[in-house]
């Protein structure tokens, strides 16, 4: 017992048998049309594209490619629904629909979780425990606001904007749809939602849920397609509001195209979040927080803590424990309930991650990559940590949007703040310390929309979320999230 | 950590670099002692305050996340049998009788008398006055006799009384002593007294192994749990144990996590591996497997044996036996198929 056994103790030596969730639960149909005016229809061109399971590169379903004519049809439907129905409903009635949608999401949560994991590649544990419950929570939360807009702090009887065009990314497909639709509907707008090209399925299941909830036709239209569909939506003259979540590059284009128009705009773009670790941080929980910060959803998170700023005096210890924890991550079949890190969403994203990590090495950072075995088929990238990263390295400046962490060090709180702020982005940061006064001192000086203290990547519908500088503008979530959809 | 070589970019773009090896995930048990000998209370207190704090929200979130691991098929069967071999089959009632202890010992040696492939449990745990009886029933079997001592469960007696309690239990044949710390002393800051008691009891144990019960339900905070764990380990504990099972709050998953982190860090600095025993309120196989998952992912293989991890329980054993048969036969058997204790 004591003192005798001096060999190392192997973590994870109790092997877990595969515990896969059944793909059949998803009930994915062979093809989906566009959801316009309360029913599914083909694109005018009858063009379709395949949506692929990134974990094995197999086609899941064929979805319609909406063209400019279809976008016009969807916007027209939303306009009619706004004029004739939705602008005349009371807040209490809108609230009723939102509550129904929330409850239907809960009822079909298992199906939605599997759909999300198949289409996106994220681990079922995350879609089951994070994406779907949070999506339902957003509808519940804004259902509560729909009849209380007078008390939201935007004056008496604040008015909706009209027709909202909403373009969402592939990293949290259903959750982003909920972030967009719930406040827009609560505030009295009608919507045209375009899910990402690589992850349209959960939004299409949501369309079925909207039918089940008997939401009046046209109040929400869901159109699938690639970037050209999004561009047509942005350019449509009868859209009053564009809400976009995605890359800074595309966000910039959208802002240019909507400039000097009547269109309201909110953008939620990229980030290069800094997780700042002081020497008095609670070390075990902090390691978990760093791991959650960068490997949650394969690092496909706009607010990911992709830069770790660690106080020099504890840097070696933190790195040692971090590498150990990275090596422990279970990478593989996203449908396995014990998987921690799933598949990269697309071949294009995998290529970008590979390119940027190659720069990390050529610029002189030290690379630690998990020895986990990666599946032969599909898009995979082993969890990676770069140490000895300098502020000037590309991996410290550019958003990688993958399971790659860059570790930098600092000596004083001033230096930590300066380094954290030395970025074009400003979405999220984390501060780890047991000293409340220091946490607040640092938080006050960070230029980022979200600051987490002793945690990371925690989301709640009651809390506003959004960025500064090249991370965009406008807030989603909370009372603040209503402002983006009200004429105030 | 030593700097590692950086491979060329070309190599990366074709196959990913593998600079980390599976060994990097191991708990590195130190070959040399890097913990100072405790000479004074001030020094002990300084060491305890140098330990990292525990963030309660984070620790509970980590435990909750680990408890979602899905353990199926052969892993489940292996985990159930592992758990059986880790049980300290316990009876600590005023109404205990030699007859009840006989029944317990028989069950401990052969948990399922119809299937001798079921491993025996690790120990039976009784009050000191029943140690001799348990010893005589168990004979030469590998099942150990554990005895609570030191004025269990409150620990409210003088050191002399506590030591006498220990010596009597050892003399009667106890292989393992489960002592309680003086929570009053710990909470009022008399840490030196707690440490001295552990040292004295360890000495009184002689060859018997010492398990130190922290009674985490009375320590309340995770910071206290981590510090009490270190006091016990520095004092010479072979095991640290959560609870007596006699207070409202007994073993919880986050408390076990914090204690496992403490034994891990102690092994990595002091080079000595200390076991962990969770006790009180663990009644189902599902609970037991959750603890084993936390052990697996916090400290690993060295602790996945009865020499380093124990469940203090009574009704747990029957559920483990029942679930084991369920795994083998695919259907449940009646609870009455198994003896009551």
């Amino acid at each position: 017992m004591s003192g005798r056994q001096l060999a190392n103790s192997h973590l994870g030596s109790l092997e877990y048998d595969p515990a896969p969730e059944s793909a059949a639960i998803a009930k994915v149909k062979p093809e989906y049309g566009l959801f316009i005016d309360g029913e599914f229809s083909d694109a005018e061109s009858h063009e379709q594209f395949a949506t692929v399971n990134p974990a094995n590169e197999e086609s899941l379903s064929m979805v319609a490619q909406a063209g400019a004519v279809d976008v016009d049809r969807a916007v027209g439907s939303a306009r009619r629904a706004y004029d004739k129905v939705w602008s005349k409903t009371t807040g209490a009635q809108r609230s009723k629909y939102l509550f129904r949608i929330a409850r239907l999401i809960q009822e079909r949560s298992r199906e939605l979780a599997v759909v999300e994991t198949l289409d996106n590649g994220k681990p079922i544990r995350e879609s089951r425990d994070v994406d779907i419950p949070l999506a339902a929570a957003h509808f519940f939360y804004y259902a509560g606001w729909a009849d209380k807009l007078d008390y939201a702090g935007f004056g008496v009887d604040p008015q909706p904007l009209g027709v909202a065009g909403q373009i969402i990314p592939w990293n949290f497909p259903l959750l982003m749809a909920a972030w967009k639709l719930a406040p827009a509907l609560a505030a009295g707008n009608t919507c045209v939602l375009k899910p990402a090209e690589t992850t349209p399925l959960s939004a299409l299941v949501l369309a079925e849920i909207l039918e089940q909830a008997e939401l009046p036709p046209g109040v929400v239209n869901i159109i699938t397609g690639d970037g050209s569909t999004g561009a047509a939506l942005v350019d449509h003259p009868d859209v009053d509001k564009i809400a976009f979540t995605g890359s800074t590059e595309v966000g910039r284009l959208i802002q240019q195209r909507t400039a000097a128009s009547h269109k309201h705009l909110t953008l939620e773009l990229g980030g290069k979040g800094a997780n700042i670790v002081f020497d008095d941080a609670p070390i075990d929980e902090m390691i978990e927080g760093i791991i959650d910060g960068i490997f949650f959803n394969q690092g496909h998170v706009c607010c990911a803590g992709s830069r770790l700023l660690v106080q020099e005096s504890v840097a070696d210890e933190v790195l040692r424990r971090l590498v150990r924890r990275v090596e422990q991550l279970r990478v593989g079949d996203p449908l396995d309930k014990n998987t921690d890190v799933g598949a990269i969403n697309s071949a294009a994203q995998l290529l970008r991650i590979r390119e940027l990590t190659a720069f990390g090495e050529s610029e002189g950072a030290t690379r630690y990559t998990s020895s986990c075995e990666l599946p032969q088929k599909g898009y995979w990238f082993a969890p990676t940590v770069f140490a000895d990263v300098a502020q000037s390295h590309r991996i410290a400046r550019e958003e990688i949007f993958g399971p790659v962490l860059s570790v930098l060090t600092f000596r004083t709180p001033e230096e930590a703040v300066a380094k954290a702020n030395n970025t074009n982005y400003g979405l999220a940061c984390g501060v780890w310390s047991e000293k409340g006064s220091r946490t607040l001192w640092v938080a006050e000086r960070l230029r980022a929309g979200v600051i987490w203290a002793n945690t990371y990547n925690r989301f709640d519908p009651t809390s506003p979320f959004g960025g500064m500088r090249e991370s965009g503008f406008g807030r989603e979530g909370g009372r603040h999230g209503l402002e983006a959809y009200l004429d105030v | 950590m030593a700097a590692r070589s950086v491979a060329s970019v070309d190599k990366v773009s074709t196959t990913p670099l593998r600079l980390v090896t599976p060994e990097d995930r191991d708990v590195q048990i130190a070959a040399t002692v890097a913990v100072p000998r405790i000479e004074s209370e001030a020094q002990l207190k300084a060491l305890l305050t140098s330990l990292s704090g525990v963030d309660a929200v984070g620790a509970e979130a980590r435990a909750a996340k680990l408890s979602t691991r899905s353990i199926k098929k052969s892993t489940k069967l292996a985990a159930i049998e592992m758990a059986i071999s880790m049980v300290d089959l316990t009876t600590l009632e005023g109404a205990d009788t030699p007859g009840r202890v006989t029944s317990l010992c028989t069950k401990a040696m052969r948990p399922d008398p119809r299937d001798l492939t079921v491993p025996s449990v690790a120990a039976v745990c009784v009050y000191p006055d029943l140690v001799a009886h348990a010893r005589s029933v168990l004979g030469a079997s590998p099942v150990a006799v554990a005895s609570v001592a030191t004025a269990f469960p409150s620990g409210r007696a003088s050191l002399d009384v506590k030591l006498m309690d220990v010596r009597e239990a050892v003399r009667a044949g106890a292989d393992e002593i489960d002592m309680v710390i003086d929570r009053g002393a710990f909470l009022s800051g008399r840490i030196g007294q707690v440490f001295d008691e552990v040292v004295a009891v360890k000495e009184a144990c002689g060859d018997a192994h010492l398990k130190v019960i922290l009674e985490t339900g009375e320590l309340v905070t995770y910071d206290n749990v981590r510090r009490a764990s270190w006091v016990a380990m520095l004092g010479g504990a072979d095991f640290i144990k959560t609870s007596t099972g006699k207070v409202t709050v007994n073993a919880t998953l986050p408390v076990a996590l914090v204690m496992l982190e403490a034994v891990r860090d102690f092994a990595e600095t002091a080079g000595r591996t200390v076991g962990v025993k969770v006790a009180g309120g663990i009644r189902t196989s599902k609970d037991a497997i959750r603890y084993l998952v936390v052990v697996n992912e916090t400290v690993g293989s060295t602790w996945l044996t009865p020499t380093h991890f124990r469940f203090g329980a009574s009704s747990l054993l029957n559920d483990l036996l029942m679930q084991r048969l369920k795994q083998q036969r695919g259907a449940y058997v009646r609870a009455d198929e198994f003896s009551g204790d």
Side-chain angles (χ1 to χ4, degrees):
Chain A
M1 188 181 299
S2 49
R4 272 178 249 149
Q5 199 156 354
L6 286 178
N8 292 340
S9 182
H10 307 295
L11 283 175
S13 47
L14 186 68
E15 295 285 338
Y16 303 154
D17 276 338
E21 184 64 284
S22 162
I25 292 168
K27 292 181 271 187
V28 176
K29 294 174 183 161
E31 58 175 22
Y32 290 88
L34 307 170
F35 185 70
I36 297 174
D37 213 16
E39 53 192 35
F40 284 95
S41 57
D42 281 354
E44 199 234 15
S45 65
H46 298 286
E47 225 181 291
Q48 288 184 318
F49 62 95
T51 184
V52 167
N53 179 349
N56 58 19
E57 296 171 64
E58 282 168 17
S59 173
L60 290 165
S61 181
M62 297 299 289
V63 296
Q65 164 68 39
V69 178
D70 305 301
V71 170
D72 187 53
R73 205 154 60 84
V75 173
S77 158
R79 175 60 63 194
R80 279 193 307 282
Y82 179 74
D83 289 341
K84 297 198 172 130
V85 184
W86 205 240
S87 60
K88 297 189 170 70
T89 56
T90 64
Q93 284 170 318
R94 295 198 300 273
S95 170
K96 179 188 72 179
Y97 288 113
L98 290 169
F99 274 123
R100 272 191 201 163
I101 296 166
R103 290 173 64 169
L104 285 163
I105 289 173
Q106 287 184 322
E107 277 174 27
R108 295 177 70 172
S109 60
R110 194 160 171 218
E111 172 194 353
L112 281 164
V114 177
V115 167
E116 203 73 312
T117 286
L118 286 174
D119 207 15
N120 171 279
K122 66 175 65 199
I124 186 77
R125 177 166 56 80
E126 290 177 8
S127 45
R128 180 194 68 199
D129 296 346
V130 182
D131 291 63
I132 311 302
L134 267 179
H138 266 267
F139 279 103
F140 274 121
Y141 176 76
Y142 281 108
W145 268 120
D147 62 349
K148 302 173 192 72
L149 297 178
D150 283 354
Y151 310 100
F154 306 113
V156 177
D157 199 19
Q159 292 302 303
L161 296 171
V163 175
Q166 304 174 315
I167 301 168
I168 57 171
W170 45 261
N171 57 345
F172 296 94
L174 184 74
L175 182 58
M176 290 302 106
W179 279 30
K180 294 279 181 280
L181 294 175
L185 296 177
N189 304 271
T190 57
C191 304
V192 178
L193 177 83
K194 191 198 94 68
E197 188 183 355
T198 61
T199 56
L201 292 184
S202 57
L204 294 163
V205 177
L206 181 63
E208 295 173 8
I209 286 175
L210 302 177
E211 277 186 309
Q212 258 182 294
E214 294 172 3
L215 189 71
V219 172
V220 173
N221 304 275
I222 297 175
I223 52 171
T224 49
D226 57 14
S228 67
T229 311
L233 183 58
V234 167
D235 290 342
H236 197 287
D238 204 23
V239 168
D240 300 302
K241 153 88 187 187
I242 293 291
F244 172 76
T245 298
S247 71
T248 295
E249 203 183 341
V250 175
R252 198 172 276 135
L253 284 174
I254 291 176
Q255 193 169 11
Q256 285 163 5
R257 291 171 88 138
T258 53
S261 78
H262 69 289
K263 291 173 192 167
H264 295 254
L265 178 67
T266 44
L267 298 173
E268 204 269 88
L269 308 175
K272 193 73 187 173
N275 229 337
I276 303 172
V277 166
F278 288 100
D279 62 358
D280 67 339
I283 192 156
D284 290 297
E285 294 73 37
M286 172 261 285
I287 296 291
E288 288 308 314
I290 296 168
I291 294 286
D292 267 346
I294 187 61
F295 300 116
F296 173 61
N297 201 26
Q298 296 74 246
H300 300 328
V301 184
C302 46
C303 54
S306 51
R307 287 183 296 157
L308 175 65
L309 300 178
V310 53
Q311 191 167 344
E312 208 175 276
S313 54
V314 290
D316 289 348
E317 180 65 9
V318 169
L319 185 63
R320 183 181 74 86
R321 287 173 181 249
L322 191 59
V323 167
R324 174 164 75 196
R325 189 67 185 82
V326 168
E327 183 62 21
Q328 247 188 293
L329 290 169
R330 304 170 63 87
V331 184
D333 181 7
L335 278 176
D336 192 316
K337 293 169 195 162
N338 293 326
T339 291
D340 296 323
V341 179
I344 302 302
N345 181 251
S346 65
Q349 188 56 32
L350 180 59
L351 186 67
R352 173 163 173 80
I353 296 168
R354 283 189 177 149
E355 272 173 17
L356 275 167
T357 45
F359 277 116
E361 290 185 29
S362 62
E363 290 182 331
T366 310
R367 176 175 177 162
Y368 298 88
T369 292
S370 166
S371 69
C372 62
E373 266 200 52
L374 298 179
Q376 291 298 309
K377 288 187 74 185
Y379 315 127
W380 299 92
F381 195 88
T384 293
V385 173
F386 279 105
D388 311 315
V389 177
Q391 274 300 95
S392 53
H393 288 170
R394 284 187 67 175
I395 53 168
R397 311 208 64 77
E398 296 179 32
E399 185 177 39
I400 299 173
F401 222 62
V404 182
L405 177 69
S406 301
V407 184
L408 298 89
T409 59
F410 68 87
R411 291 185 174 182
T412 64
E414 287 81 0
E415 190 187 349
V417 169
K419 281 185 165 166
N421 284 340
N422 182 214
T423 167
N424 290 330
Y425 295 109
L427 190 51
C429 282
V431 187
W432 294 83
S433 170
E434 287 268 277
K435 196 169 194 168
S437 58
R438 177 156 56 203
T439 301
L440 292 173
W441 187 94
V442 172
E444 277 175 356
R445 284 158 182 80
L446 290 173
R447 287 186 292 172
V450 181
I451 316 280
W452 281 293
N454 288 354
T455 188
Y456 208 92
N457 273 345
R458 296 276 142 178
F459 306 97
D460 190 291
T462 64
S463 172
F465 181 93
M468 299 178 174
R469 295 182 283 166
E470 289 189 15
S471 291
F473 48 81
R475 295 291 175 261
E476 298 184 281
R479 185 186 62 81
H480 309 69
L482 290 167
E483 190 176 352
Y485 293 98
L486 289 171
D487 188 15
V488 290
Chain B
M1 177 171 290
R4 307 201 176 193
S5 65
V6 181
S8 73
V9 178
D10 295 341
K11 220 169 122 191
V12 175
S13 52
T14 50
T15 50
L17 261 190
R18 299 253 161 104
L19 291 177
V20 183
T21 66
E23 285 72 47
D24 284 312
R25 84 172 106 170
D26 294 345
V27 174
Q28 317 273 337
I29 298 162
T32 54
V33 179
V35 173
R37 219 184 115 76
I38 301 301
E39 310 277 1
S40 70
E41 184 173 59
Q43 183 206 2
L44 178 60
K45 282 187 171 173
L47 193 151
L48 295 183
T49 46
S50 76
L51 298 172
S52 169
V54 182
D55 184 77
V57 175
E60 285 166 11
R62 171 73 175 146
K65 203 166 171 183
L66 285 174
S67 72
T68 67
R69 289 290 194 219
S70 181
I71 305 301
K72 302 282 182 213
K73 299 174 197 160
S74 66
T75 313
K76 188 169 184 182
L77 191 59
I80 288 171
E81 294 192 347
M82 186 184 277
I84 291 172
S85 74
M86 291 169 166
V87 168
D88 280 4
L89 200 56
T90 303
T91 184
L92 295 171
E93 302 297 334
D96 284 345
T97 60
R100 180 170 159 76
V101 171
T102 303
S103 173
L104 207 67
C105 290
T106 313
K107 182 152 183 156
M109 291 186 281
R110 286 195 317 273
D112 187 344
R114 292 157 303 186
D115 183 353
L116 298 181
T117 63
V118 178
S120 58
V121 306
V124 291
C125 184
V126 293
Y127 271 117
D129 62 320
L130 289 165
V131 166
H133 180 68
R135 180 78 279 162
S136 71
V137 178
L138 290 170
S141 95
V143 178
V145 179
S147 176
V148 295
T150 70
F152 180 93
S154 66
R156 301 198 83 102
S158 71
L159 181 59
D160 287 344
V161 170
K162 290 178 182 175
L163 293 179
M164 198 178 294
D165 202 12
V166 172
R167 287 191 195 104
E168 276 192 17
V170 173
R171 202 176 304 133
D175 307 293
E176 301 172 359
I177 296 295
D178 290 24
M179 75 169 281
V180 288
I181 65 163
D182 186 332
R183 282 85 77 187
F186 182 89
L187 291 168
S188 66
R190 287 175 281 129
I191 309 286
Q193 184 188 330
V194 178
F195 176 79
D196 288 343
E197 281 195 7
V198 175
V199 172
V201 171
K202 171 71 183 168
E203 202 194 329
C205 279
D207 289 336
H209 283 140
L210 174 63
K211 306 195 196 98
V212 178
I213 304 172
L214 309 179
E215 196 68 300
T216 53
E218 291 187 348
L219 300 181
V220 180
T221 68
Y222 296 118
D223 288 329
N224 279 345
V225 171
R226 177 167 287 176
R227 289 174 183 182
S229 298
W230 275 80
V231 173
M233 293 187 292
L234 290 164
D238 297 302
F239 258 85
I240 51 177
K241 175 175 167 185
T242 59
S243 323
T244 59
K246 299 290 185 190
V247 297
T248 322
V249 180
N250 294 296
T252 67
L253 216 49
V255 158
L257 173 67
V258 170
M259 288 169 65
L260 287 162
E261 287 163 354
V263 298
R264 177 198 64 200
D265 294 347
F266 189 75
E268 292 199 322
T269 47
R272 191 166 74 82
T273 59
V274 175
V276 173
K277 177 173 170 182
V278 291
I282 303 158
R283 294 192 180 87
T284 65
S285 302
K286 204 169 192 171
D287 287 340
I289 290 171
R290 282 180 179 155
Y291 281 101
L292 291 180
V293 165
V294 176
V295 174
N296 187 40
E297 301 201 26
T298 310
V299 285
S301 59
T302 301
W303 277 266
L304 285 170
T305 71
T307 60
H308 283 80
F309 196 76
R310 297 278 181 89
F311 295 100
S314 42
S315 59
L316 171 65
L317 182 57
N318 269 0
D319 193 65
L320 289 167
L321 294 171
M322 191 152 71
Q323 295 295 338
R324 182 177 173 277
L325 275 184
K326 159 75 168 45
Q327 283 304 111
Q328 289 177 333
R329 295 185 187 170
Y332 281 105
V333 295
R334 286 198 309 275
D336 282 342
E337 289 276 316
F338 304 101
S339 63
D341 46 35

